[in-house]
Amino acid sequence: MEKQINAIEIRGLSKSFRGLYAVDSLNMTVPVGAIYGFIGENGSGKSTTEKLICGHLVADSGKIKLFGRDYTDPGVRARVGALIENAGCFPNSSIYQNLRMQTINLGLDNPDSEIERVLGIVRMEKHRNLKFKKCSLGMKQRVGIAMALLGNPALLILDEPINGLDTDGMRIMREILVDITQNYGCTVLISSHILGELQKIATHYGIIRRGRMIMELSAEEMENRAQVFVSLKTADMEGAKRVLSERFADVRLKDDYIFVYDTDDSAAIVDLLMKKDYIVSEISKNKIGLEEYYIELMSEKEEN
């Protein structure tokens, strides 16, 4: 059986600065066509890893393969687009002029048609003549993605592209990233602190801590691992918690709510409390999302 080629395959990657490891024996696998959410606290090694993949930094040790080939291969390097830190545009030049200069840098044929293509993808056709310095933060991020998409890369690497955006800006960015993968065949590696937004689009996740990959899983695996729970309020929270703890294994009192984990049987909970003369004033079924799962995972690692 033929081995599947991944967009990114990293084994034993390490990078240190002044004797301290920013990336430490890291392994990563990003399937072709994925939107891979790269998650970790500040200083965990996300940006360093992305810069190593892009060739902006040189690793101390380890291997990076892109589409089955060494990442230094000129042919595979041409298939990578990236937006790390900022778009690197000239503020007094228009969006079109900045893109035109980048097509020259890349030596692209048919630059005008290529600029039209990427402007259409990021929904900036009507703003082509706007000076870059006049753009909002969301527009600047979209221009940066347009720059990265010039030359039709097969892999797009984005470092915190939705941070600082308003609700509408994040929505547009989500739609663009889904469009890139579904309609243009591009694999996306995206780091972000806004885990609720990432969960809406990611197909795979990689969780990094102190330079090490501690977990990789698909969105489907994440969904299967997510705990269900019921949250509720009563007049006597401590008393209700004691009653529920007699029947349910994991009952917690926090943030002015009682949380009953590993169950979604709210009717049984209400019935049990009513038999003990506790009136439930508020109750809802829930499922742990990516952010809660990440916090729980980090807590477990800290304890270990």
Side-chain angles (χ1 to χ4, degrees), residues 20-247:
L20 297 175
Y21 279 94
V23 176
D24 186 5
S25 303
L26 181 133
N27 297 323
M28 174 188 278
T29 303
V30 180
V32 171
I35 298 179
Y36 186 100
F38 198 23
I39 305 166
E41 60 200 353
N42 285 336
S44 60
K46 300 189 303 298
S47 294
T48 300
T49 300
E50 291 174 327
K51 289 175 182 178
L52 287 165
I53 296 169
C54 292
H56 298 171
L57 295 172
V58 178
D60 297 343
S61 60
K63 292 184 178 181
I64 304 173
K65 286 188 175 182
L66 305 178
F67 301 101
R69 294 154 66 182
D70 187 85
Y71 80 114
T72 60
D73 185 297
V76 82
R77 291 241 53 85
R79 303 179 69 190
V80 180
L83 173 60
I84 296 178
E85 294 178 354
N86 57 63
C89 291
F90 293 96
N92 289 310
S93 297
S94 69
I95 293 170
Y96 176 85
Q97 289 168 334
N98 273 290
L99 289 169
R100 187 69 176 83
M101 284 184 275
Q102 184 66 355
T103 63
I104 294 170
N105 290 336
L106 296 172
L108 298 181
D109 296 327
N110 304 314
D112 288 331
S113 62
E114 181 62 5
I115 291 171
E116 291 301 318
R117 186 184 74 86
V118 298
L119 284 175
I121 294 173
V122 300
R123 306 178 185 181
M124 295 288 286
E125 309 98 308
K126 295 179 181 178
H127 304 287
R128 70 183 72 241
N129 295 320
L130 184 68
K131 286 188 177 181
F132 185 75
K133 67 180 181 181
K134 298 287 186 181
C135 293
S136 66
L137 176 59
M139 293 170 71
K140 286 178 178 177
Q141 291 294 77
R142 282 190 273 159
V143 172
I145 290 177
M147 297 272 279
L149 287 172
L150 288 170
N152 197 24
L155 173 63
L156 187 63
I157 298 173
L158 305 174
D159 186 27
E160 308 280 4
I162 58 178
N163 283 13
L165 302 188
D166 59 21
T167 302
D168 195 51
M170 286 191 285
R171 176 187 60 78
I172 293 171
M173 188 65 73
R174 289 198 313 266
E175 292 173 357
I176 289 169
L177 296 179
V178 171
D179 184 39
I180 288 169
T181 56
Q182 292 185 352
N183 298 319
Y184 294 89
C186 192
T187 303
V188 177
L189 169 63
I190 172 175
S191 65
S192 178
H193 288 102
I194 308 174
L195 304 189
E197 289 297 310
L198 201 57
Q199 188 174 6
K200 295 175 183 176
I201 59 171
T203 62
H204 296 75
Y205 302 101
I207 303 175
I208 185 175
R209 186 169 187 266
R210 296 176 184 171
R212 287 179 173 268
M213 186 71 77
I214 61 172
M215 183 174 291
E216 287 187 296
L217 70 168
S218 68
E220 184 179 359
E221 289 170 327
M222 170 67 204
E223 180 69 17
N224 292 336
R225 291 186 185 203
Q227 261 185 315
V228 293
F229 65 94
V230 173
S231 60
L232 63 112
K233 280 187 174 184
T234 70
D236 181 0
M237 300 286 276
E238 289 289 352
K241 179 179 180 293
R242 284 194 296 272
V243 170
L244 292 168
S245 295
E246 292 174 3
R247 176 163 171 186

Side-chain angles (χ1 to χ4, degrees), residues 232-234 237 253-259:
L232 63 112
K233 280 187 174 184
T234 70
M237 300 286 276
L253 179 57
K254 60 181 181 179
D255 301 326
D256 298 321
Y257 281 88
I258 296 173
F259 293 87

